[in-house]
Amino acid sequence: MKIEQIYTGCIAQAAYYIESDGEAAIFDPLREVQPYIDKATGNDAKIKYIFETHFHADFVSGHLDLAQKTGAKIVYGPTASPKFEAIIAEDNQEFKVGNCTIKVIHTPGHTLESSCYLLSDASQTPLGLITGDTLFIGDVGRPDLAQTIVGELTQEKLASILFDSLRNKIMVLPDDITVYPSHGAGSACGKNMSKETTDTLGNQKKTNYALRADMTREEFVTEVLDGLAIPPAYFPQNVMMNIEGYESLDSVIIKSMKALSPEAFRNTASVTDAVILDVRNESEFVKSHIPGSIFIGIDGNFAPWVGAMIMDVNQPLLMITPAGREQETITRLSRVGFDKVAGYLEGGIEAWNQAGFETDHIESITPETFAAHFTNQSLVVDARKPGEFNAEHIPGALSIPLDFINNHLNEIPESSFFLHCAGGYRSVIMASILKSRGIHHFINVENGISGIRKTDIKLSNFVCPSESQ
């Protein structure tokens, strides 16, 4: 049996390719499904099943397109109610893929339909457990998401259910099996995930705070819920797309690949409510951009930040991309359900400049220049997450995390201030949002705290981030 993790770093998501004796199964596929088809074809295998661990909130799964292109059957665990044809498995139901066996283990808690899949070889020896968002490396799935879909649920109820699932369904399995989760560090589906993306179950029992053998239900509920940030606004929308269905990615790409001249681009922006999304490098955006445009660079954690900042998947978008990366941008937007792309600026910002249209810029300085002008009276806004801020920051700085800036604009200082993040990416996102809201009285600090740390500015005493959440 072949077990392959296919990890996509920009959304910290893991899909899985399982193959045995000419048959294959895909677990939690991304929306661009051709790579899975090509992999199976290259191995002379036929994709038989598409297993979904749950209705995902942080990305739109590729289950429908993959089923349509391959004829594979979609499988969910108990209690799932999708609006399309799928096998709703019973707890402990088994599926054969070649000579291997895939056993459904219903593990509600993250969501009610959440299920894990136990992988056994031809001799019925358990080798691995695909855990979805039930169990991560170093963490467990947050139990507060399903309450946005099912009104009578509370995060406390879901956490209590998750406690039982972990202890009665997962921790009783052999210690030597490999845990294969759906996410790693950086995902908003947990709060303390390791950068490692696999581990043995036995080691997780020793190191994962949520699997302590002597942990009471009350302690589990308290610790799992402690420090959870508000989930991004696009999460419930992605859940509904995964339940109800969506337009095929092929159709979305064809519809979105519209090259617009500067004149057509400007006209479209003026007669619609489209957001102008600039995905170039932050250093390019700082120098010159279309007034009112939002920066979210394609080479950062692009899709999650689009979801967190723009929030509404039905928001029409106009794109400014690096040359040749238009289709990539459309595809990566579709991963989080943003399918309403009205076109892209042909020729990029250079064509816009040649047309003589207005541009804007962000005042930006090096960390060394910042240090030369910094005094104890300087106003500083730190755009990093609370845990990063608590770990180390400029004394007196204001913590205003980028994640929820749209809801905290009233906290922005009325006087001139400096703005920074960790490395320069998030502060430019925040800068673009502030400028689009008419706030211009700030200076961006390039390279963020990583650059400031190399100057003579004294930072707060460092605290391990794991202790500062």
Side-chain angles (χ1 to χ4, degrees), residues 228-402:
L228 280 181
I230 299 171
Y234 75 100
F235 270 27
Q237 300 171 66
N238 275 197
V239 170
M240 296 312 298
M241 291 180 72
N242 283 317
I243 292 174
E244 296 178 350
Y246 47 79
E247 187 176 0
S248 74
L249 179 58
D250 292 344
S251 175
V252 169
I253 291 174
I254 291 171
K255 185 172 62 177
S256 302
M257 283 289 288
K258 294 179 182 177
L260 301 174
S261 68
E263 292 78 8
F265 190 94
R266 185 175 67 167
N267 290 340
T268 302
S270 66
V271 301
T272 69
D273 62 347
V275 168
I276 299 175
L277 180 63
D278 193 323
V279 309
R280 297 173 296 149
N281 185 272
E282 59 262 33
S283 62
E284 297 174 305
F285 183 88
V286 162
K287 293 175 183 176
S288 178
H289 58 266
I290 295 175
S293 58
I294 301 299
F295 164 79
I296 305 177
I298 190 72
D299 291 322
N301 289 334
F302 174 65
W305 281 122
V306 169
M309 295 296 99
I310 299 179
M311 299 187 289
D312 182 4
V313 299
N314 294 309
Q315 171 64 55
L317 302 173
L318 286 164
M319 304 187 310
I320 302 171
T321 75
R325 301 185 71 177
E326 297 85 7
Q327 183 168 325
E328 176 192 353
T329 304
I330 294 166
T331 299
R332 290 174 65 176
L333 286 169
S334 76
R335 289 177 180 169
V336 288
F338 286 80
D339 293 347
K340 304 295 193 297
V341 174
Y344 63 91
L345 178 60
E346 187 174 26
I349 200 71
E350 293 80 8
W352 185 267
N353 286 326
Q354 290 171 7
F357 295 152
E358 181 185 3
T359 61
D360 198 355
H361 72 283
I362 294 172
E363 187 174 358
S364 192
I365 59 175
T366 66
E368 292 74 21
T369 301
F370 169 63
H373 289 83
F374 177 79
T375 70
N376 291 335
Q377 284 71 47
S378 297
L379 285 175
V380 178
V381 170
D382 189 325
R384 297 175 299 155
K385 294 179 182 294
E388 296 174 277
F389 179 85
N390 293 338
E392 187 179 39
H393 60 267
I394 297 171
L398 297 175
S399 175
I400 306 180
L402 170 63

Side-chain angles (χ1 to χ4, degrees), residues 112-142:
L112 291 180
E113 80 285 348
S114 286
S115 296
C116 299
Y117 296 96
L118 184 65
L119 311 176
S120 299
D121 63 14
S123 66
Q124 295 300 302
T125 301
L127 299 180
L129 184 71
I130 293 178
T131 57
D133 287 17
T134 296
L135 175 63
F136 300 125
I137 307 306
D139 201 1
V140 292
R142 57 189 300 165

Side-chain angles (χ1 to χ4, degrees), residues 77-79 89-93 103-109 111-119 126 128-131 134-135 160-175 177 179 201 205 211 217:
T79 77
E90 297 178 359
D91 194 18
N92 296 317
Q93 184 173 344
K103 182 179 181 179
V104 180
I105 301 177
H106 188 210
T107 52
T111 65
L112 291 180
E113 80 285 348
S114 286
S115 296
C116 299
Y117 296 96
L118 184 65
L119 311 176
L129 184 71
I130 293 178
T131 57
T134 296
L135 175 63
S160 182
I161 293 170
L162 181 59
F163 177 84
D164 289 327
S165 292
L166 291 167
R167 275 138 184 87
N168 300 333
K169 297 292 191 72
I170 292 180
M171 293 177 68
V172 296
L173 296 172
D175 283 355
I177 65 171
V179 174
L201 179 58
K205 289 179 184 179
L211 302 188
R217 183 184 304 273

